[in-house]
Amino acid sequence: MTKYDTLKFSKSKGIGTLTINRPKNMNALNMQVLRELNIILEDIGKDEAVQVLIVTGSGEKAFVAGADINEMKDKNASEGREFSTFGNKVFSKLENLRQPSIAAVNGFALGGGCELAMACDVRIGAENAKFGQPEVGLGIIPGFGGTQRLSRIVGLSKAKELIYTAKTVNAEEAFNMNLLNKITESSNLMAEARLMAQSIIKQAPLAIEASKIAINHGYEMDLSHALEMEAELFGGLFATADQKEGMTAFTEKIKAVFNRQ
């Protein structure tokens, strides 16, 4: 795999761990980080050895504290638009990654950091996790999907409140508004993320992949078309070894063993 200056990646027993690695800058997102994310996500999507991806930040203070303001402040309108467009492309690549993704939020997830976490399928937060979209205080709006994903996760009115006020919320508040799936002690964060990843890995991989497609794409459709897509995906799985193994094991009261290749 390519060598990266701002990212660290490791994999073990089906779990890939992707770390934003700019701790001196609180893992702020600049163009180099985004370019490297764009490349590595392409590689991860093709890697059959990675069944679940965990995304986290380096150090104990921040998951990602936002985009790099020093890099952004002198951009003109055209450059700002290009920056947002590219960031959205990268985060959409994460959102639509073949593998399920878990954000292990170890501190501040502000601006682009909150948006990065929301592009993951599931979010687990340490007790010190903090979320927010503070962009309006900088004279801009969330530009990496925050105006869209936040409202889909927490609801329209709450998203407007958080974005309009630039409010930062703690882990408990984030959990109560469905922005976090789970809160855990900081020292236990990665263990909890790996435990959830392992519970996913035990399931049929093609069914997990089809479920992600159905949920992500169906959410944007009207119900009748979404149900048609669900039926198509459901039916297609009956032509797979995963379905034969899973249902045969169930009827024979033995543990299913799914092929990971």
Side-chain angles (χ1 to χ4, degrees):
M1 190 172 275
T2 308
K3 185 179 184 301
Y4 299 97
D5 295 324
T6 68
L7 306 174
K8 292 192 296 184
F9 181 74
S10 62
K11 56 185 176 181
S12 176
K13 298 179 180 179
I15 302 172
T17 302
L18 175 59
T19 305
I20 312 300
N21 188 36
R22 298 184 73 210
K24 292 181 180 178
N25 304 90
M26 297 187 75
N27 304 319
L29 301 172
N30 59 11
M31 275 303 297
Q32 184 179 11
V33 177
L34 292 174
R35 289 191 188 102
E36 293 189 358
L37 276 172
N38 190 47
I39 296 168
I40 201 169
L41 289 171
E42 195 72 31
D43 291 340
I44 290 169
K46 298 173 183 176
D47 193 338
E48 295 293 335
V50 179
Q51 295 159 50
V52 179
L53 178 66
I54 297 172
V55 181
T56 193
S58 184
E60 299 178 356
K61 292 183 178 180
F63 173 72
V64 168
D68 194 320
I69 307 301
N70 288 324
E71 185 182 82
M72 281 199 299
K73 66 183 181 67
D74 295 324
K75 290 185 184 298
N76 60 32
S78 177
E79 291 166 337
R81 190 178 301 111
E82 289 177 6
F83 187 55
S84 175
T85 299
F86 186 66
N88 272 315
K89 173 188 172 182
V90 175
F91 284 17
S92 292
K93 185 175 286 189
L94 172 60
E95 183 176 50
N96 294 306
L97 197 67
R98 176 178 60 81
Q99 301 95 329
S101 57
I102 301 169
V105 183
N106 53 311
F108 288 105
L110 304 177
C114 186
E115 291 165 310
L116 179 65
M118 290 191 295
C120 293
D121 294 307
V122 177
R123 287 160 293 283
I124 299 176
E127 292 173 323
N128 68 328
K130 294 186 185 298
F131 294 82
Q133 299 287 170
E135 287 88 349
V136 296
L138 299 170
I140 57 174
I141 66 171
F144 292 167
T147 63
Q148 304 306 307
R149 290 191 181 94
L150 187 60
S151 61
R152 286 162 168 78
I153 293 169
V154 307
L156 197 63
S157 182
K158 180 56 71 173
K160 288 179 177 179
E161 176 193 341
L162 293 176
I163 291 172
Y164 294 173
T165 64
K167 180 182 179 181
T168 298
V169 297
N170 62 28
E172 184 176 356
E173 291 172 299
F175 176 78
N176 288 336
M177 65 178 72
N178 298 321
L179 192 51
L180 273 179
N181 295 76
K182 188 172 186 178
I183 304 172
T184 186
E185 294 178 4
S186 299
S187 60
N188 204 38
L189 177 63
M190 293 307 294
E192 283 288 345
R194 284 191 289 269
L195 192 63
M196 183 177 288
Q198 288 162 359
S199 70
I200 294 171
I201 288 172
K202 291 177 183 177
Q203 314 308 321
L206 294 177
I208 293 291
E209 188 174 338
S211 295
K212 181 167 181 174
I213 292 168
I215 294 167
N216 281 5
H217 292 282
Y219 197 82
E220 306 302 325
M221 297 178 180
D222 63 80
L223 183 58
S224 62
H225 286 96
L227 292 175
E228 287 177 12
M229 178 188 63
E230 180 183 80
E232 189 67 28
L233 289 164
F234 177 84
L237 289 167
F238 281 80
T240 68
D242 277 3
Q243 180 267 339
K244 300 297 183 286
E245 171 64 22
M247 292 194 177
T248 299
F250 180 85
T251 56
E252 295 181 359
K253 296 181 172 57
I254 59 175
K255 185 178 179 180
V257 179
F258 297 107
N259 183 4
R260 299 297 166 185
Q261 299 301 320

